[in-house]
Amino acid sequence: MAEETRVVRASAKTRLRRELRFLRTRVRELKMIGKALVSTKHPILVHLIPMRQCNLACTYCNEFDDFSKPVPLEEVEKRLDALADMGTSIITISGGEPLMHPDLDEVIRHMRRRGMIAGLITNGFYLNKERIERLNEAGLEHLQISIDNVVPDEVSKKSLKTLDGRLVMLSQYAVFQVNINSVLGSGVKDPEDALKIAHRAVELGFTSTVGIIHDNNGQLKPLGPHEQEIFEEVMTLGKRSFSRFNEFQHNVARGREHHWRCRSGSRYLYICEDGLVHWCSQQRGYPGIPLSQYTPEMRHREYSTKKFCAPRCTVSCVQQVGILDNWRDPQNLKPMPMKPPATPQAELVQIGQGRGHS
Ligand code: SF4
Ligand code: SF4
């Protein structure tokens, strides 16, 4: 039997633990939404980078290196404490490849101890039964893997072929929720790949989302009719994912600009390995202030700051956070003069939670 058709049922004990963790996380997510609607003073989602190094080198990625050391546990915990004190609801650990961090389990434990919802974005290559069980024990609640193609190529090794065995292990042992993200758009050789990946995700009991790549000039470009059909089908498959409610995704599929209020620097924070606060992975350098010096006044200012990059934004997780505040508080401040972003706009429009590690 081909690897991609193998389905192994989890034990009754794992299924029960999974259902209980899912229900607890959903309750916590609903509380998170309630708290976000009542007050605009705390971050809703933070992406934290404890490890910039990655074991892969996807050619489209601008978020990794092959040399940097892990941020020491003590320092990561200090950052988590600062975020918890701000009232942060969700932390997603990203990279680089976070599973290369030697103390990742302890990092996740600390997030849970401080009452925050714990998520992880990984390329999945280091997952095995023992590692999955350690993540279960640490209290992980969400895990996302982006899969770029069915068969590995020169652009990306994150393929269904290389990862399917790990996905089967996740379906067998993970008690946390798993989302599989696939991609569509220019540069994707075969759009049917996204559909195959999404169907495989659902077959294994995971949620599925899809990312859209725009053209090489970073311009929004509508998908062709067949790709749009695939897009809609994958979106329908992603039943349990909140992302399907986001109108942004449908605008991007049709190549339209999206008008919304980006609350990065306030409701969403990106904390790099150096402990600096940035608007997001694609606007590193703004505001570039150490987390320990990032005051409530600064967050408040960013809340009201209009982001020049919003109409063609590539970062869907910030769009999803924005839904909670789009209906209120128009933005009328200009960004403070700062050094230019360290990295250019990525060519990817990220839907669900993106192709890479953002
Ligand atoms: S790229 Fe998107 S998420 Fe990042 S600052 Fe601009 S509008 Fe916000
Ligand atoms: S996309 Fe992810 S797996 Fe690929 S190089 Fe970047 S960080 Fe590594």
Side-chain angles (χ1 to χ4, degrees), residues 279-312:
W279 275 356
C280 69
S281 66
Q282 303 310 313
Q283 293 294 350
R284 278 174 269 160
Y286 292 89
I289 295 169
L291 179 63
S292 56
Q293 297 166 23
Y294 204 57
T295 62
E297 292 70 33
M298 290 171 182
R299 293 206 309 273
H300 186 68
R301 190 181 198 288
E302 290 299 344
Y303 180 83
S304 303
T305 297
K306 190 169 178 151
K307 312 299 191 306
F308 55 84
C309 37
R312 292 178 173 273

mmCIF file of all heavy atoms in Angstrom, residues 279-312:
data_model
loop_
_atom_site.group_PDB
_atom_site.id
_atom_site.type_symbol
_atom_site.label_atom_id
_atom_site.label_comp_id
_atom_site.label_asym_id
_atom_site.label_seq_id
_atom_site.Cartn_x
_atom_site.Cartn_y
_atom_site.Cartn_z
ATOM 1 N N TRP A 279 6.491 44.602 13.733
ATOM 2 C CA TRP A 279 5.093 44.533 13.273
ATOM 3 C C TRP A 279 4.716 43.098 12.910
ATOM 4 O O TRP A 279 3.675 42.603 13.281
ATOM 5 C CB TRP A 279 4.902 45.416 12.040
ATOM 6 C CG TRP A 279 4.624 46.854 12.373
ATOM 7 C CD1 TRP A 279 4.448 47.415 13.602
ATOM 8 C CD2 TRP A 279 4.490 47.915 11.416
ATOM 9 N NE1 TRP A 279 4.214 48.758 13.478
ATOM 10 C CE2 TRP A 279 4.238 49.081 12.155
ATOM 11 C CE3 TRP A 279 4.577 47.980 10.027
ATOM 12 C CZ2 TRP A 279 4.042 50.326 11.532
ATOM 13 C CZ3 TRP A 279 4.386 49.209 9.409
ATOM 14 C CH2 TRP A 279 4.112 50.372 10.162
ATOM 15 N N CYS A 280 5.579 42.476 12.087
ATOM 16 C CA CYS A 280 5.295 41.095 11.670
ATOM 17 C C CYS A 280 6.553 40.548 11.009
ATOM 18 O O CYS A 280 7.543 41.267 10.859
ATOM 19 C CB CYS A 280 4.111 41.042 10.695
ATOM 20 S SG CYS A 280 4.496 41.775 9.099
ATOM 21 N N SER A 281 6.508 39.305 10.569
ATOM 22 C CA SER A 281 7.708 38.677 9.983
ATOM 23 C C SER A 281 8.151 39.399 8.714
ATOM 24 O O SER A 281 9.331 39.378 8.376
ATOM 25 C CB SER A 281 7.430 37.212 9.670
ATOM 26 O OG SER A 281 6.458 37.115 8.643
ATOM 27 N N GLN A 282 7.219 40.026 8.002
ATOM 28 C CA GLN A 282 7.557 40.675 6.733
ATOM 29 C C GLN A 282 7.891 42.150 6.899
ATOM 30 O O GLN A 282 8.261 42.828 5.943
ATOM 31 C CB GLN A 282 6.409 40.486 5.736
ATOM 32 C CG GLN A 282 6.068 39.031 5.483
ATOM 33 C CD GLN A 282 7.289 38.190 5.139
ATOM 34 O OE1 GLN A 282 8.111 38.582 4.309
ATOM 35 N NE2 GLN A 282 7.442 37.046 5.797
ATOM 36 N N GLN A 283 7.730 42.679 8.088
ATOM 37 C CA GLN A 283 8.079 44.077 8.362
ATOM 38 C C GLN A 283 9.015 44.127 9.555
ATOM 39 O O GLN A 283 8.806 44.911 10.488
ATOM 40 C CB GLN A 283 6.818 44.922 8.611
ATOM 41 C CG GLN A 283 5.922 45.082 7.407
ATOM 42 C CD GLN A 283 6.559 45.895 6.283
ATOM 43 O OE1 GLN A 283 7.601 46.502 6.451
ATOM 44 N NE2 GLN A 283 5.919 45.897 5.127
ATOM 45 N N ARG A 284 10.013 43.289 9.546
ATOM 46 C CA ARG A 284 10.982 43.326 10.634
ATOM 47 C C ARG A 284 11.772 44.623 10.556
ATOM 48 O O ARG A 284 12.141 45.063 9.475
ATOM 49 C CB ARG A 284 11.915 42.113 10.555
ATOM 50 C CG ARG A 284 11.273 40.875 11.182
ATOM 51 C CD ARG A 284 12.115 39.656 10.994
ATOM 52 N NE ARG A 284 11.758 38.959 9.774
ATOM 53 C CZ ARG A 284 12.536 38.094 9.156
ATOM 54 N NH1 ARG A 284 13.727 37.823 9.635
ATOM 55 N NH2 ARG A 284 12.136 37.496 8.056
ATOM 56 N N GLY A 285 11.996 45.247 11.714
ATOM 57 C CA GLY A 285 12.633 46.562 11.755
ATOM 58 C C GLY A 285 11.676 47.610 12.308
ATOM 59 O O GLY A 285 12.102 48.602 12.877
ATOM 60 N N TYR A 286 10.390 47.405 12.168
ATOM 61 C CA TYR A 286 9.361 48.287 12.723
ATOM 62 C C TYR A 286 8.706 47.586 13.897
ATOM 63 O O TYR A 286 8.190 46.475 13.681
ATOM 64 C CB TYR A 286 8.248 48.569 11.712
ATOM 65 C CG TYR A 286 8.613 49.378 10.519
ATOM 66 C CD1 TYR A 286 9.088 48.765 9.374
ATOM 67 C CD2 TYR A 286 8.431 50.747 10.504
ATOM 68 C CE1 TYR A 286 9.385 49.504 8.249
ATOM 69 C CE2 TYR A 286 8.721 51.494 9.377
ATOM 70 C CZ TYR A 286 9.206 50.859 8.246
ATOM 71 O OH TYR A 286 9.487 51.595 7.133
ATOM 72 N N PRO A 287 8.569 48.118 15.061
ATOM 73 C CA PRO A 287 9.297 49.270 15.539
ATOM 74 C C PRO A 287 10.698 48.901 16.027
ATOM 75 O O PRO A 287 11.494 49.785 16.291
ATOM 76 C CB PRO A 287 8.415 49.775 16.693
ATOM 77 C CG PRO A 287 7.689 48.569 17.173
ATOM 78 C CD PRO A 287 7.551 47.644 16.008
ATOM 79 N N GLY A 288 11.017 47.596 16.154
ATOM 80 C CA GLY A 288 12.380 47.180 16.503
ATOM 81 C C GLY A 288 12.800 47.563 17.910
ATOM 82 O O GLY A 288 13.973 47.825 18.173
ATOM 83 N N ILE A 289 11.843 47.583 18.830
ATOM 84 C CA ILE A 289 12.112 47.975 20.227
ATOM 85 C C ILE A 289 12.184 46.710 21.094
ATOM 86 O O ILE A 289 11.374 45.797 20.907
ATOM 87 C CB ILE A 289 10.968 48.904 20.727
ATOM 88 C CG1 ILE A 289 10.994 50.200 19.920
ATOM 89 C CG2 ILE A 289 11.078 49.179 22.227
ATOM 90 C CD1 ILE A 289 9.780 51.069 20.131
ATOM 91 N N PRO A 290 13.166 46.644 22.031
ATOM 92 C CA PRO A 290 13.218 45.455 22.903
ATOM 93 C C PRO A 290 11.897 45.251 23.655
ATOM 94 O O PRO A 290 11.299 46.226 24.140
ATOM 95 C CB PRO A 290 14.355 45.772 23.885
ATOM 96 C CG PRO A 290 15.208 46.776 23.166
ATOM 97 C CD PRO A 290 14.268 47.582 22.309
ATOM 98 N N LEU A 291 11.469 44.004 23.734
ATOM 99 C CA LEU A 291 10.207 43.689 24.406
ATOM 100 C C LEU A 291 10.182 44.257 25.825
ATOM 101 O O LEU A 291 9.154 44.763 26.278
ATOM 102 C CB LEU A 291 10.028 42.160 24.430
ATOM 103 C CG LEU A 291 8.787 41.621 25.118
ATOM 104 C CD1 LEU A 291 7.509 42.076 24.413
ATOM 105 C CD2 LEU A 291 8.833 40.095 25.180
ATOM 106 N N SER A 292 11.327 44.177 26.514
ATOM 107 C CA SER A 292 11.379 44.645 27.905
ATOM 108 C C SER A 292 11.129 46.153 28.011
ATOM 109 O O SER A 292 10.809 46.660 29.084
ATOM 110 C CB SER A 292 12.742 44.302 28.511
ATOM 111 O OG SER A 292 13.759 44.858 27.699
ATOM 112 N N GLN A 293 11.292 46.883 26.896
ATOM 113 C CA GLN A 293 11.068 48.349 26.931
ATOM 114 C C GLN A 293 9.789 48.750 26.204
ATOM 115 O O GLN A 293 9.541 49.925 25.957
ATOM 116 C CB GLN A 293 12.254 49.064 26.280
ATOM 117 C CG GLN A 293 13.561 48.848 27.005
ATOM 118 C CD GLN A 293 14.754 49.262 26.162
ATOM 119 O OE1 GLN A 293 14.648 50.077 25.246
ATOM 120 N NE2 GLN A 293 15.907 48.688 26.454
ATOM 121 N N TYR A 294 8.999 47.762 25.813
ATOM 122 C CA TYR A 294 7.819 48.042 24.991
ATOM 123 C C TYR A 294 6.632 48.353 25.912
ATOM 124 O O TYR A 294 6.079 47.458 26.547
ATOM 125 C CB TYR A 294 7.532 46.829 24.108
ATOM 126 C CG TYR A 294 6.753 47.170 22.865
ATOM 127 C CD1 TYR A 294 7.211 48.111 21.952
ATOM 128 C CD2 TYR A 294 5.540 46.543 22.591
ATOM 129 C CE1 TYR A 294 6.492 48.418 20.815
ATOM 130 C CE2 TYR A 294 4.822 46.837 21.445
ATOM 131 C CZ TYR A 294 5.315 47.782 20.568
ATOM 132 O OH TYR A 294 4.604 48.085 19.432
ATOM 133 N N THR A 295 6.264 49.603 25.980
ATOM 134 C CA THR A 295 5.297 50.055 26.978
ATOM 135 C C THR A 295 3.851 49.959 26.470
ATOM 136 O O THR A 295 3.615 49.898 25.259
ATOM 137 C CB THR A 295 5.564 51.533 27.329
ATOM 138 O OG1 THR A 295 5.379 52.303 26.122
ATOM 139 C CG2 THR A 295 6.968 51.751 27.859
ATOM 140 N N PRO A 296 2.875 50.003 27.385
ATOM 141 C CA PRO A 296 1.467 50.031 26.961
ATOM 142 C C PRO A 296 1.188 51.223 26.040
ATOM 143 O O PRO A 296 0.376 51.117 25.123
ATOM 144 C CB PRO A 296 0.703 50.169 28.284
ATOM 145 C CG PRO A 296 1.618 49.611 29.314
ATOM 146 C CD PRO A 296 3.018 49.892 28.852
ATOM 147 N N GLU A 297 1.862 52.356 26.270
ATOM 148 C CA GLU A 297 1.648 53.541 25.414
ATOM 149 C C GLU A 297 2.094 53.242 23.978
ATOM 150 O O GLU A 297 1.440 53.652 23.018
ATOM 151 C CB GLU A 297 2.436 54.749 25.948
ATOM 152 C CG GLU A 297 1.954 55.304 27.282
ATOM 153 C CD GLU A 297 2.247 54.373 28.468
ATOM 154 O OE1 GLU A 297 3.280 53.663 28.458
ATOM 155 O OE2 GLU A 297 1.403 54.323 29.398
ATOM 156 N N MET A 298 3.216 52.525 23.855
ATOM 157 C CA MET A 298 3.701 52.171 22.507
ATOM 158 C C MET A 298 2.700 51.246 21.813
ATOM 159 O O MET A 298 2.412 51.394 20.628
ATOM 160 C CB MET A 298 5.073 51.488 22.591
ATOM 161 C CG MET A 298 6.190 52.424 22.996
ATOM 162 S SD MET A 298 7.687 51.463 23.329
ATOM 163 C CE MET A 298 8.792 52.780 23.816
ATOM 164 N N ARG A 299 2.190 50.286 22.561
ATOM 165 C CA ARG A 299 1.185 49.372 21.974
ATOM 166 C C ARG A 299 -0.047 50.155 21.555
ATOM 167 O O ARG A 299 -0.613 49.925 20.487
ATOM 168 C CB ARG A 299 0.788 48.283 22.983
ATOM 169 C CG ARG A 299 1.875 47.308 23.316
ATOM 170 C CD ARG A 299 1.314 45.961 23.773
ATOM 171 N NE ARG A 299 0.320 46.046 24.827
ATOM 172 C CZ ARG A 299 0.608 46.076 26.126
ATOM 173 N NH1 ARG A 299 1.859 46.029 26.531
ATOM 174 N NH2 ARG A 299 -0.352 46.140 27.023
ATOM 175 N N HIS A 300 -0.433 51.090 22.394
ATOM 176 C CA HIS A 300 -1.633 51.883 22.089
ATOM 177 C C HIS A 300 -1.422 52.701 20.824
ATOM 178 O O HIS A 300 -2.300 52.820 19.975
ATOM 179 C CB HIS A 300 -1.966 52.781 23.280
ATOM 180 C CG HIS A 300 -3.249 53.517 23.092
ATOM 181 N ND1 HIS A 300 -4.467 52.866 23.067
ATOM 182 C CD2 HIS A 300 -3.499 54.827 22.860
ATOM 183 C CE1 HIS A 300 -5.422 53.758 22.838
ATOM 184 N NE2 HIS A 300 -4.857 54.951 22.701
ATOM 185 N N ARG A 301 -0.199 53.252 20.681
ATOM 186 C CA ARG A 301 0.092 54.061 19.490
ATOM 187 C C ARG A 301 0.012 53.186 18.234
ATOM 188 O O ARG A 301 -0.564 53.574 17.220
ATOM 189 C CB ARG A 301 1.493 54.692 19.616
ATOM 190 C CG ARG A 301 1.727 55.712 18.541
ATOM 191 C CD ARG A 301 3.078 56.361 18.567
ATOM 192 N NE ARG A 301 3.030 57.601 17.781
ATOM 193 C CZ ARG A 301 2.954 57.649 16.466
ATOM 194 N NH1 ARG A 301 2.916 56.544 15.757
ATOM 195 N NH2 ARG A 301 2.888 58.806 15.835
ATOM 196 N N GLU A 302 0.581 51.995 18.305
ATOM 197 C CA GLU A 302 0.553 51.097 17.139
ATOM 198 C C GLU A 302 -0.872 50.664 16.799
ATOM 199 O O GLU A 302 -1.199 50.443 15.636
ATOM 200 C CB GLU A 302 1.430 49.856 17.381
ATOM 201 C CG GLU A 302 2.926 50.148 17.406
ATOM 202 C CD GLU A 302 3.453 50.719 16.100
ATOM 203 O OE1 GLU A 302 2.763 50.625 15.062
ATOM 204 O OE2 GLU A 302 4.560 51.296 16.122
ATOM 205 N N TYR A 303 -1.699 50.552 17.825
ATOM 206 C CA TYR A 303 -3.110 50.187 17.601
ATOM 207 C C TYR A 303 -3.776 51.198 16.669
ATOM 208 O O TYR A 303 -4.568 50.849 15.792
ATOM 209 C CB TYR A 303 -3.827 50.124 18.956
ATOM 210 C CG TYR A 303 -5.289 49.756 18.882
ATOM 211 C CD1 TYR A 303 -5.674 48.420 18.795
ATOM 212 C CD2 TYR A 303 -6.282 50.739 18.907
ATOM 213 C CE1 TYR A 303 -7.008 48.073 18.733
ATOM 214 C CE2 TYR A 303 -7.613 50.401 18.836
ATOM 215 C CZ TYR A 303 -7.977 49.063 18.756
ATOM 216 O OH TYR A 303 -9.316 48.725 18.685
ATOM 217 N N SER A 304 -3.401 52.465 16.851
ATOM 218 C CA SER A 304 -4.032 53.550 16.083
ATOM 219 C C SER A 304 -3.213 53.948 14.856
ATOM 220 O O SER A 304 -3.534 54.941 14.203
ATOM 221 C CB SER A 304 -4.214 54.787 16.973
ATOM 222 O OG SER A 304 -4.982 54.437 18.091
ATOM 223 N N THR A 305 -2.132 53.216 14.564
ATOM 224 C CA THR A 305 -1.272 53.568 13.429
ATOM 225 C C THR A 305 -1.725 52.840 12.164
ATOM 226 O O THR A 305 -1.870 51.612 12.158
ATOM 227 C CB THR A 305 0.194 53.199 13.735
ATOM 228 O OG1 THR A 305 0.636 53.973 14.855
ATOM 229 C CG2 THR A 305 1.093 53.475 12.538
ATOM 230 N N LYS A 306 -1.912 53.632 11.104
ATOM 231 C CA LYS A 306 -2.315 53.050 9.826
ATOM 232 C C LYS A 306 -1.083 52.425 9.165
ATOM 233 O O LYS A 306 -0.056 53.087 9.009
ATOM 234 C CB LYS A 306 -2.877 54.166 8.943
ATOM 235 C CG LYS A 306 -3.545 53.675 7.719
ATOM 236 C CD LYS A 306 -4.294 54.821 7.042
ATOM 237 C CE LYS A 306 -4.895 54.265 5.781
ATOM 238 N NZ LYS A 306 -6.071 54.900 5.366
ATOM 239 N N LYS A 307 -1.186 51.171 8.748
ATOM 240 C CA LYS A 307 -0.048 50.472 8.152
ATOM 241 C C LYS A 307 -0.113 50.591 6.628
ATOM 242 O O LYS A 307 -1.104 50.186 6.004
ATOM 243 C CB LYS A 307 -0.039 48.987 8.559
ATOM 244 C CG LYS A 307 -0.239 48.721 10.068
ATOM 245 C CD LYS A 307 0.836 49.337 10.920
ATOM 246 C CE LYS A 307 0.851 48.913 12.373
ATOM 247 N NZ LYS A 307 -0.330 49.046 13.164
ATOM 248 N N PHE A 308 0.962 51.144 6.046
ATOM 249 C CA PHE A 308 0.992 51.389 4.596
ATOM 250 C C PHE A 308 0.880 50.107 3.781
ATOM 251 O O PHE A 308 0.469 50.104 2.633
ATOM 252 C CB PHE A 308 2.291 52.120 4.221
ATOM 253 C CG PHE A 308 3.535 51.397 4.683
ATOM 254 C CD1 PHE A 308 4.075 50.377 3.931
ATOM 255 C CD2 PHE A 308 4.151 51.742 5.889
ATOM 256 C CE1 PHE A 308 5.200 49.694 4.371
ATOM 257 C CE2 PHE A 308 5.273 51.053 6.336
ATOM 258 C CZ PHE A 308 5.798 50.035 5.579
ATOM 259 N N CYS A 309 1.257 48.978 4.390
ATOM 260 C CA CYS A 309 1.311 47.715 3.656
ATOM 261 C C CYS A 309 0.004 46.916 3.761
ATOM 262 O O CYS A 309 -0.090 45.805 3.210
ATOM 263 C CB CYS A 309 2.478 46.874 4.184
ATOM 264 S SG CYS A 309 2.711 47.032 5.967
ATOM 265 N N ALA A 310 -1.002 47.459 4.446
ATOM 266 C CA ALA A 310 -2.199 46.664 4.730
ATOM 267 C C ALA A 310 -2.965 46.173 3.492
ATOM 268 O O ALA A 310 -3.344 44.997 3.444
ATOM 269 C CB ALA A 310 -3.120 47.440 5.662
ATOM 270 N N PRO A 311 -3.203 47.037 2.463
ATOM 271 C CA PRO A 311 -4.053 46.553 1.363
ATOM 272 C C PRO A 311 -3.507 45.327 0.647
ATOM 273 O O PRO A 311 -4.252 44.531 0.121
ATOM 274 C CB PRO A 311 -4.115 47.757 0.410
ATOM 275 C CG PRO A 311 -3.771 48.936 1.249
ATOM 276 C CD PRO A 311 -2.823 48.452 2.291
ATOM 277 N N ARG A 312 -2.168 45.196 0.626
ATOM 278 C CA ARG A 312 -1.572 44.036 -0.062
ATOM 279 C C ARG A 312 -0.866 43.121 0.923
ATOM 280 O O ARG A 312 0.122 42.459 0.592
ATOM 281 C CB ARG A 312 -0.586 44.515 -1.124
ATOM 282 C CG ARG A 312 -1.285 45.204 -2.259
ATOM 283 C CD ARG A 312 -0.351 45.722 -3.299
ATOM 284 N NE ARG A 312 -1.128 46.206 -4.420
ATOM 285 C CZ ARG A 312 -1.532 45.443 -5.429
ATOM 286 N NH1 ARG A 312 -1.201 44.180 -5.474
ATOM 287 N NH2 ARG A 312 -2.261 45.945 -6.381
#
